[in-house]
């Protein structure tokens, strides 16, 4: 387990830059934890504090009950064997296994290359490898000391979407097969959606929000997280629906326009059927958008509940008791 307690980091010099302003975070063993934020938010500083490449100005970094901020350099060097790191750009491609025999090294290299899918590339020079293959070498190198934690700082940011996908799949595979805790630093919500179990959003050195990725995607709270979520999921009303003449005015000649938000097991069809049956109303589905976060479906439906005012209100109160998110978007004319 990684615990960060009240971490602050101020860079010195004439202009004092407070890069981290009291970070509290717990990352569980075996978790893929995402830290997302815009450029300059403090992500790299934060991840470098986890392995103490950057010394926090105050606060504690505790890994498996050991406080890294209390260690001297040689203790830290030993501890860092448990923490692998990969970056966006890398140029170190040699594998250093100090003190190991040639035989042991060869076996180790072979098994690492196999793990990252590069067995047939053992004899290649770095210049003969593609960006994705180089990143695989970076991952192999980071795993050489059998770490328990892998820190990835924008590891896929320089890669095209297809290669990004394959590297993310590799990280997921490593997490599942070896049980390694992975901390993913990124400015791309698509990366978080693809592999992270939980995510924290950081802005100006402050964590604005954190939670399970499925929950965050279906119900972001902070403006910062909302901005990231809407960067890949469009929650805006489709233009066609806006043009129906939606108002926030409740009246007898209007129907209620409702958005139903689903995640996980609560799928859409039974809910709509349920409302139709229970309240003897018609429900017309105007728009639907279902996506997957890893293996969990999530998404929303925009429906019109067609009944008299009292029945619409009753139906909506009932929807509120269901394990789904919902909101009234407005009211549309009956002849919409
Ligand atoms: P991110 O990785 O989210 O882009 P960084 O952690 O690199 O953010 O930077 C956070 C803030 O700290 C920025 O304002 C940046 O300019 C500043 N900063 C980062 N590294 C240093 C450094 N070595 N010296 C001075 N300021 C730094
Ligand atoms: Mg950075």
């Amino acid at each position: 387990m990684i615990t960060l307690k009240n971490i602050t980091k101020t860079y010195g010099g004439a202009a004092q830059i407070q890069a981290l302003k009291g970070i509290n975070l717990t990352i569980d063993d075996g978790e893929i934890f995402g830290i997302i934020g815009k450029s300059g938010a403090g992500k790299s500083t934060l991840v470098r504090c986890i392995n103490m490449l950057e010394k926090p100005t105050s606060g504690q970094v505790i890994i498996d009950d050991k406080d890294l901020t209390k260690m001297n350099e040689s203790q830290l060097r030993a501890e860092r064997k448990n923490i692998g790191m990969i970056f966006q750009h890398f140029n170190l491609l040699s594998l250093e296994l100090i003190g190991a025999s040639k035989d042991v090294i060869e076996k180790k290299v072979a098994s690492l290359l196999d793990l990252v899918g590069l067995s047939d590339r053992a004899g290649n020079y770095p210049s003969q490898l593609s960006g994705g293959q180089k990143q695989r070498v970076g991952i192999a190198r980071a795993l050489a000391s059998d770490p328990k934690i892998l820190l990835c700082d924008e590891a896929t940011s320089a890669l095209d979407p297809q290669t990004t996908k394959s590297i993310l799949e590799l990280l997921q595979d490593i997490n599942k097969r070896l049980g390694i805790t992975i901390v993913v630093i990124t400015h791309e919500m698509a990366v978080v959606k693809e592999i992270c179990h939980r995510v924290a959003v950081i802005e100006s050195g402050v964590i604005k929000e954190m939670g399970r990725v499925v929950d965050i995607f279906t119900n972001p709270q902070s403006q910062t997280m909302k901005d990231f979520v809407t960067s890949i999921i469009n929650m805006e009303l489709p233009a066609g629906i806006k043009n129906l003449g939606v108002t926030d005015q409740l009246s007898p000649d209007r129907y209620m326009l409702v958005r139903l938000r689903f995640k996980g097991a609560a799928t859409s069809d039974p809910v709509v059927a349920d409302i139709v049956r229970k309240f003897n109303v018609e429900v017309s589905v105007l728009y639907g958008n279902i996506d997957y976060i890893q293996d969990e479906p999530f998404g929303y439906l925009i429906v019109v509940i067609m009944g008299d005012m009292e029945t619409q209100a009753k139906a909506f109160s009932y929807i509120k008791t269901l394990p789904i998110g919902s909101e009234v978007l407005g009211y549309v004319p009956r002849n919409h």
Side-chain angles (χ1 to χ4, degrees), residues 11 17 19 38-45:
Y11 288 109
I17 295 165
K38 295 197 181 109
S39 173
K43 305 181 297 294
S44 292
T45 305

Side-chain angles (χ1 to χ4, degrees), residues 43 95 126 148 197 199:
K43 305 181 297 294
L95 257 174
K148 291 197 253 106
H197 305 134
V199 62

Side-chain angles (χ1 to χ4, degrees), residues 11 19-20 35 38 40-51 53-54 85 87-88 151-154 185-186 202:
Y11 288 109
L20 300 175
I35 298 172
K38 295 197 181 109
K43 305 181 297 294
S44 292
T45 305
L46 180 59
V47 79
R48 288 164 63 83
C49 280
I50 295 178
N51 61 5
L53 282 178
E54 208 67 74
M85 191 165 186
F87 310 88
Q88 179 173 356
L151 308 176
C152 311
D153 191 354
E154 304 277 8
I185 300 289
T186 183
I202 182 170

Side-chain angles (χ1 to χ4, degrees), residues 79-206:
E79 192 56 37
R80 284 196 195 108
K81 291 206 167 62
N82 291 323
I83 314 173
M85 191 165 186
I86 56 173
F87 310 88
Q88 179 173 356
H89 299 291
F90 37 84
N91 41 32
L92 241 179
L93 292 166
S94 69
L95 257 174
E96 291 165 40
L97 293 165
I98 297 154
S101 71
K102 192 163 172 277
D103 201 34
V104 169
I105 292 175
E106 273 173 10
K107 278 206 184 103
K108 185 78 194 177
V109 169
S111 81
L112 285 170
L113 288 179
D114 184 40
L115 182 70
V116 301
L118 284 180
S119 294
D120 57 337
R121 293 286 174 168
N124 284 67
Y125 288 106
S127 61
Q128 297 170 307
L129 300 175
S130 69
Q133 288 167 336
K134 281 186 198 165
Q135 195 54 287
R136 284 172 191 267
V137 175
I139 293 169
R141 194 173 62 89
L143 296 177
S145 59
D146 298 318
K148 291 197 253 106
I149 298 167
L150 181 62
L151 308 176
C152 311
D153 191 354
E154 304 277 8
T156 59
S157 296
L159 305 174
D160 61 79
Q162 206 52 44
T163 311
T164 293
K165 202 163 183 295
S166 76
I167 294 295
L168 293 178
E169 276 168 12
L170 173 61
L171 290 175
Q172 202 166 35
D173 182 51
I174 286 165
N175 167 260
K176 280 193 186 138
R177 272 165 52 181
L178 307 177
I180 292 179
T181 308
I182 301 184
V183 183
V184 174
I185 300 289
T186 183
H187 65 277
E188 292 171 306
M189 203 57 176
V191 169
V192 170
K193 179 170 167 250
E194 202 68 37
I195 62 166
C196 295
H197 305 134
R198 283 196 302 149
V199 62
V201 66
I202 182 170
E203 186 178 66
S204 307
V206 176

